[in-house]
């Protein structure tokens, strides 16, 4: 009998790769997506075309701050595994919208954990967390025993809910990940400003603020993170997953400038 997975944040970068991986393993995948006036399923449209007709992939409108809806979904789906990937994950935006960021990061996760705790089924719960929780205040190597010193509403919400996971969930896989990248259709504010909202080569701003580019970051592939069994289930303990190589933001800036010059924007 195939297993059933419930994924929040299914339309995001990690949700798309995780869905593809689980579907390839024969899972029945149920995904949560937020209602939007714009189509936001670009990353998983190929999966929808391939797997939705036979019911192997099903999507539901809901939101992490709607606890009643989340509880009903968990009770109706009866998943074997829940992957909580959804969050307001833009660090800069979390300062501008701290309440919403905190609500999605804390209340949403708590609602899911309560649904797991009250379910008659034994459900395994995966919580995606972030290296932002460490604060980035020193250059020491990090491991699972390093102290959290969150410096943003986003990081604080993630840190708080990681501790709550350990209190409420019976079988959990809390994972702390570094920055994950992929070749998928992701358009950040910076690239949108360079290329235009629709990706066309339109007017280029005379200057684009990028912030401090010297911070060291461990950036690795989202595909590797979400397809690794070790990264998915280490029951009852935190797991820090990283690529093992450090890069600084200005290195990506230099590469971007080279690529842009090649296409003569």
């Amino acid at each position: 009998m195939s297993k059933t997975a419930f994924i929040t944040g299914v339309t995001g970068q990690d949700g798309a790769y995780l869905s593809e991986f689980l579907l390839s393993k024969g899972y029945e995948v149920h995904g949560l997506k937020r209602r939007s006036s714009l189509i936001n399923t670009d990353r998983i449209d190929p999966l929808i075309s391939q797997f939705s007709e036979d019911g192997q992939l099903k999507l539901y409108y809901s939101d992490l701050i709607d606890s009643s809806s989340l509880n009903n979904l968990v009770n109706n789906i009866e998943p074997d595994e829940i992957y909580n990937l959804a969050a307001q994950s833009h660090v800069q935006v979390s300062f501008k919208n701290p309440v919403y960021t905190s609500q999605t990061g804390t209340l949403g996760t708590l609602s899911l954990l309560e649904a797991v705790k009250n379910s008659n089924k034994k459900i395994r719960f995966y919580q995606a967390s972030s290296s932002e929780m460490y604060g980035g205040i020193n250059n020491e190597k990090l491991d699972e025993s390093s102290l959290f010193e969150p410096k943003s509403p986003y990081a604080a919400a993630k840190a708080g809910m990681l501790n709550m996971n350990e209190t409420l969930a019976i079988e959990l896989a809390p994972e702390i990940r570094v920055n994950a990248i992929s070749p998928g259709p992701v358009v950040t504010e910076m690239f949108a400003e360079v290329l235009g909202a629709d990706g066309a080569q339109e007017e280029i701003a005379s200057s684009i603020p990028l912030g401090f580019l010297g911070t060291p970051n461990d950036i690795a592939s989202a595909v590797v993170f979400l397809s690794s069994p070790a990264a998915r289930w280490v029951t009852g303990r935190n797991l820090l997953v990283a690529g093992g190589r450090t890069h600084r933001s200005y290195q990506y800036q230099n590469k971007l400038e080279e690529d842009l010059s090649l296409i003569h924007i």
Side-chain angles (χ1 to χ4, degrees):
M1 184 176 180
S2 63
K3 289 186 177 182
T4 300
F6 177 42
I7 303 174
T8 71
V10 70
T11 59
Q13 169 188 262
D14 293 354
Y17 282 118
L18 179 59
S19 298
E20 182 177 17
F21 174 75
L22 294 178
L23 288 167
S24 72
K25 298 298 181 182
Y27 275 65
E28 181 180 297
V29 174
H30 299 255
L32 180 153
K33 66 175 181 176
R34 289 184 298 123
R35 174 71 177 90
S36 173
S37 58
L38 299 176
I39 297 175
N40 57 2
T41 58
D42 291 2
R43 295 183 181 92
I44 59 171
D45 279 343
L47 300 178
I48 293 173
S49 299
Q50 184 176 355
F51 295 102
S52 63
E53 188 172 340
D54 63 2
Q56 193 177 349
L57 174 62
K58 300 177 181 179
L59 302 179
Y60 308 86
Y61 286 117
S62 186
D63 195 290
L64 282 181
I65 61 177
D66 188 342
S67 59
S68 176
S69 174
L70 292 176
N71 188 68
N72 288 336
L73 284 172
V74 172
N75 287 336
N76 292 333
I77 296 170
E78 295 186 322
D80 298 289
E81 302 166 6
I82 293 178
Y83 294 84
N84 187 29
L85 308 182
Q88 192 303 103
S89 58
H90 195 296
V91 175
Q92 182 180 1
V93 171
S94 76
F95 285 101
K96 299 177 181 179
N97 297 282
V99 174
Y100 179 73
T101 300
S102 299
Q103 286 177 330
T104 56
T106 56
L107 295 179
T109 306
L110 184 58
S111 295
L112 285 171
L113 287 170
E114 281 292 307
V116 170
K117 186 179 71 171
N118 296 327
S119 175
N120 293 324
K121 187 171 185 176
K122 190 175 184 179
I123 302 173
R124 307 180 82 179
F125 187 90
Y126 171 101
Q127 174 63 39
S129 294
S130 168
S131 58
E132 289 286 335
M133 298 186 302
Y134 294 113
I137 60 174
N138 56 54
N139 292 322
E140 295 180 5
K141 289 185 177 181
L142 301 172
D143 59 30
E144 287 81 358
S145 64
S146 298
L147 296 177
F148 296 148
E149 297 191 46
K151 302 298 181 184
S152 69
Y154 166 70
K158 285 292 187 181
M161 288 322 301
L162 191 65
N163 292 330
M164 187 62 71
N165 284 345
E166 296 175 354
T167 302
L168 294 179
I170 297 174
E171 279 203 62
L172 64 142
E175 177 193 293
I176 305 166
R177 296 190 295 112
V178 301
N179 298 298
I181 58 175
S182 77
V186 180
V187 180
T188 65
E189 293 177 4
M190 182 184 75
F191 289 107
E193 190 166 356
V194 172
L195 298 176
D198 60 355
Q201 297 176 17
E202 299 176 350
E203 291 186 21
I204 301 176
S206 58
S207 64
I208 302 173
L210 299 179
F212 180 61
L213 301 180
T215 303
N217 287 296
D218 184 319
I219 299 178
S221 168
V223 182
V224 174
F225 281 162
L226 292 167
S227 63
S228 168
R232 289 178 53 223
W233 293 115
V234 177
T235 303
R237 55 166 290 193
N238 294 337
L239 181 67
L240 175 60
V241 184
R245 293 188 300 171
T246 299
H247 303 277
R248 297 180 187 272
S249 297
Y250 64 76
Q251 294 176 280
Y252 297 98
Q253 178 200 13
N254 294 340
K255 177 60 177 173
L256 175 62
E257 289 176 349
E258 292 177 6
D259 291 344
L260 289 177
S261 66
L262 287 175
I263 58 178
H264 305 294
I265 290 183

